[in-house]
Amino acid sequence: MIEYKNVSFSYDAQPPVVEDISFVIHKGETIGLIGANGAGKTTIMKLMLGLLSGEGQITIDGLPVTKQNLSQIRQKIGFVLQDSDNQMFMPTVYEDMIFGPRNYGMTKEEAEKRVDEVLKQLGLQNLKHRYNHKISSGEKRMAAIATILAMQPEVILMDEPSTALDPVNRRTVIHTIQSLSQTKLIASHDLDLILDTCERVILLSQGKIVADGDCETILRDKKLLEENRMELPLCLQSRHC
Amino acid sequence: MDNLSKAQSEFLEMDEIAAEKSFLHQLHPLCKLLVTLTYIFVVVSFHKYDITGLTIMILYPILMFQAAQIPVHLCFYKLRMVLPFVCAVGLVNPFLDHVPVIQIGHIIVTGGFLSMLTLMMKGCFALMASFLLVATTPVDSLCAAMRMIHIPDMLASLFLLTHRYIGVMLEEVSVMIQAYSLRAPNQKGIHISAWGSFLGQLLLRSMDRAQELYYSMLLRGFRGEFLYSDVPACHMDSVLYTLISIGFFVCARFIRITQWIGNIFVR
């Protein structure tokens, strides 16, 4: 279980990016984090990973996010960055995938076995020895997800997983998210993706939670979405139905 | 493709060349590192007028390029930006050192001219050997070899990360130049008035990217020490390669092989 209790964060002497937010994520839930640009979606994720530190308390399975616990916490949580180029820093997909497991003490053989399992699970065996600079954006996004899955995290955070993807690759990412059993927190402007993958949504506006509840109920509430600089998902807009 | 994108892809290509499977590629990285360092040390130690002694040292890179199945011209092509500087190092020597050293017919060759040639050769040979090392050894194996000879982990990691960040920086420069040139169509290069802001932006963008990359590493358990790729055991071929190569360098340094061969023909 992940719990945010009165969490606030601001960059030096600036208005808070996240202000007094509290919510709980239960094991196995898939939650969409939505809101306009600058609403604080990525900040909430970075606070959970200890990349930023603010006020209030965040606990992961009862473990508070503090400097001493970071290693344990980061082993539990996988973070798929918005820009896959920033995630894939080794020459090949295989080397990138093996990086995390090896750092967490796995032997080369064990890590390699894990890599093969994840690649098979995602149907990406053909990418194993490909160079990161020679694969397409869609393949890179899937490879970035694979690098995270290779660490067998209990929780997966995804920041804008469908950005810059063509419809087919976007659909592949959606299917992949649906197939994962872990607890997932997905920050996105792509409300159709959120509708397809999440059962619960947290709507943020200017660093505060304005709605937290059933995905379909919130995403069908045109007034609420428009008040917070969002729109109905395309599939719920009458002309697209 | 613009020049920078080309430079970037050329830079990234080195990883692919280093991952080939020739005889030289499969040798132990520490052996290759030691041989290369010894080669450079021996080449640099030749006397400034000893052009005949130095000439024999070209055998090592030429043979090794064959063994690695890498065309020699690739080395000169990749190093085309550096080679002119290396060659320019000794250009003033002929003006400073007028002492006659050899006379070929009526032509007197001065010490300055000879030292210019040896300096150029030393520079080129050292670059060729370094290129050979980088082109046959993946960077993380090279760093693992550096750790084996007790080079501090901080330096080895710095070397590895610098290598990674060069690619990131080139990417950022390429994007910025593209954005600039699309809005300055009749302009060649970047106008001097934009240099300051261009460099500032580049620094900020590269720092942002570098920070994101670093986050990504931290989140996957990086604790300041790289777990380099598993270096294979040192087999007999690696030991033989090291002994034969270093033996050859020592012989070439202390036995005047070229003079000895020349004497056979003169007599």
Side-chain angles (χ1 to χ4, degrees):
Chain A
M1 188 176 80
I2 300 166
E3 188 173 9
Y4 279 65
K5 212 184 267 177
N6 308 111
V7 176
S8 299
F9 174 81
S10 60
Y11 292 99
D12 328 300
Q14 288 191 10
V17 184
V18 168
E19 197 177 353
D20 196 25
I21 59 160
S22 302
F23 63 89
V24 174
I25 301 173
H26 297 282
K27 198 172 178 188
E29 268 189 308
T30 303
I31 298 182
L33 205 53
I34 61 170
N37 288 333
K41 302 184 292 290
T42 307
T43 306
I44 285 178
M45 292 182 161
K46 286 187 173 173
L47 284 166
M48 192 196 297
L49 293 157
L51 294 173
L52 299 173
S53 58
E55 290 161 31
Q57 199 182 29
I58 305 172
T59 52
I60 320 285
D61 290 336
L63 208 63
V65 178
T66 56
K67 209 173 174 184
Q68 294 76 28
N69 298 332
L70 279 186
S71 175
Q72 266 175 287
I73 284 170
R74 287 173 179 171
Q75 203 167 353
K76 285 172 185 280
I77 306 174
F79 184 30
V80 181
L81 301 183
Q82 183 173 356
D83 187 348
S84 307
D85 281 329
N86 293 340
Q87 183 125 19
M88 311 293 286
F89 49 82
M90 301 294 275
T92 64
V93 173
Y94 165 72
E95 284 167 280
D96 240 309
M97 287 184 72
I98 214 165
F99 183 85
R102 292 281 277 134
N103 274 323
Y104 283 117
M106 209 176 262
T107 64
K108 198 186 172 198
E109 290 70 30
E110 285 170 334
E112 193 155 350
K113 195 175 160 216
R114 174 86 63 83
V115 166
D116 287 334
E117 280 166 8
V118 172
L119 287 172
K120 196 176 169 198
Q121 180 191 346
L122 301 181
L124 300 175
Q125 294 97 320
N126 62 324
L127 289 188
K128 187 174 177 184
H129 293 295
R130 297 272 300 277
Y131 285 89
N132 284 328
H133 65 279
K134 290 206 164 167
I135 59 179
S136 70
S137 321
E139 289 173 325
K140 207 176 274 181
R141 182 62 51 89
M142 289 303 294
I145 296 174
T147 60
I148 295 307
L149 290 182
M151 289 168 58
Q152 285 191 332
E154 292 167 29
V155 181
I156 299 174
L157 310 183
M158 291 183 168
D159 193 1
E160 299 288 359
S162 62
T163 313
L165 293 184
D166 63 35
V168 173
N169 283 319
R170 181 179 162 278
R171 187 48 56 191
T172 310
V173 168
I174 289 174
H175 287 319
T176 306
I177 296 171
Q178 285 168 336
S179 69
L180 301 173
S181 57
Q182 287 93 336
T183 308
K184 299 176 283 288
L185 183 62
I186 303 165
S188 181
H189 290 127
D190 182 350
L191 299 189
D192 291 273
L193 174 137
I194 296 287
L195 197 62
D196 277 350
T197 54
C198 303
E199 61 247 26
R200 182 178 147 202
V201 155
I202 296 175
L203 172 61
L204 293 166
S205 179
Q206 296 176 335
K208 291 179 184 161
I209 295 178
V210 288
D212 179 353
D214 176 61
C215 179
E216 222 171 305
T217 314
I218 291 178
L219 295 187
R220 280 183 186 278
D221 191 338
K222 191 177 177 200
K223 190 166 170 267
L224 175 71
L225 292 174
E226 286 181 355
E227 276 171 2
N228 293 289
R229 298 178 60 198
M230 308 288 288
E231 279 182 341
L232 281 177
L234 284 175
C235 70
L236 295 181
Q237 289 177 19
S238 55
R239 64 178 181 278
H240 293 280
C241 287
Chain B
M1 199 189 272
D2 63 69
N3 285 344
L4 265 161
S5 309
K6 206 170 155 190
Q8 189 195 347
S9 94
E10 264 182 45
F11 177 75
L12 294 170
E13 250 172 42
M14 286 304 291
D15 283 329
E16 291 174 53
I17 297 173
E20 294 286 331
K21 298 271 177 243
S22 76
F23 160 73
L24 199 59
H25 285 86
Q26 284 172 345
L27 293 177
H28 195 274
L30 181 59
C31 297
K32 286 187 269 185
L33 180 66
L34 287 177
V35 167
T36 307
L37 290 176
T38 314
Y39 176 80
I40 293 172
F41 179 76
V42 169
V43 161
V44 171
S45 73
F46 274 92
H47 188 267
K48 62 180 179 175
Y49 297 154
D50 192 2
I51 197 161
T52 49
L54 190 58
T55 310
I56 199 79
M57 294 303 285
I58 200 170
L59 276 179
Y60 169 74
I62 287 186
L63 288 176
M64 289 305 124
F65 272 108
Q66 292 304 314
Q69 295 165 6
I70 297 172
V72 183
H73 66 79
L74 184 74
C75 165
F76 291 106
Y77 179 73
K78 296 260 186 208
L79 298 174
R80 65 194 181 279
M81 299 296 281
V82 191
L83 280 170
F85 293 103
V86 171
C87 293
V89 171
L91 279 182
V92 288
N93 285 22
F95 304 104
L96 299 175
D97 182 357
H98 299 283
V99 181
V101 181
I102 320 170
Q103 188 168 357
I104 305 167
H106 294 293
I107 302 165
I108 293 168
V109 181
T110 63
F113 185 74
L114 271 188
S115 63
M116 178 189 78
L117 281 181
T118 52
L119 260 179
M120 287 177 176
M121 285 167 73
K122 284 177 184 180
C124 286
F125 291 177
L127 274 179
M128 284 168 86
S130 311
F131 176 84
L132 202 56
L133 176 67
V134 176
T136 56
T137 321
V139 178
D140 50 345
S141 300
L142 204 53
C143 290
M146 284 161 80
R147 288 292 294 130
M148 283 176 200
I149 50 170
H150 297 289
I151 288 177
D153 186 51
M154 175 88 88
L155 279 181
S157 296
L158 198 68
F159 178 73
L160 184 69
L161 290 176
T162 307
H163 176 265
R164 299 263 185 269
Y165 285 138
I166 288 173
V168 172
M169 204 150 159
L170 279 174
E171 208 176 303
E172 291 301 323
V173 177
S174 169
V175 169
M176 284 176 71
I177 288 185
Q178 229 168 46
Y180 180 92
S181 57
L182 286 171
R183 283 177 290 158
N186 296 323
Q187 208 172 293
K188 202 177 174 190
I190 293 160
H191 193 265
I192 194 164
S193 61
W195 284 11
S197 55
F198 195 89
L199 278 177
Q201 277 298 317
L202 175 64
L203 182 70
L204 291 173
R205 287 170 65 113
S206 307
M207 277 169 64
D208 275 351
R209 285 278 316 263
Q211 189 169 36
E212 288 288 308
L213 281 170
Y214 183 60
Y215 279 165
S216 174
M217 289 162 68
L218 280 182
L219 295 177
R220 283 192 270 160
F222 179 68
R223 272 163 252 161
E225 194 174 329
F226 253 97
L227 286 171
Y228 301 109
S229 64
D230 289 340
V231 175
C234 188
H235 296 296
M236 190 47 88
D237 49 359
S238 297
V239 177
L240 279 176
Y241 157 79
T242 312
L243 292 178
I244 293 171
S245 302
I246 294 179
F248 167 70
F249 303 152
V250 173
C251 288
R253 179 69 186 86
F254 295 107
I255 302 168
R256 307 193 63 77
I257 301 173
T258 41
Q259 203 174 349
W260 180 71
I261 296 170
N263 285 342
I264 296 173
F265 292 105
V266 171
R267 279 172 198 164

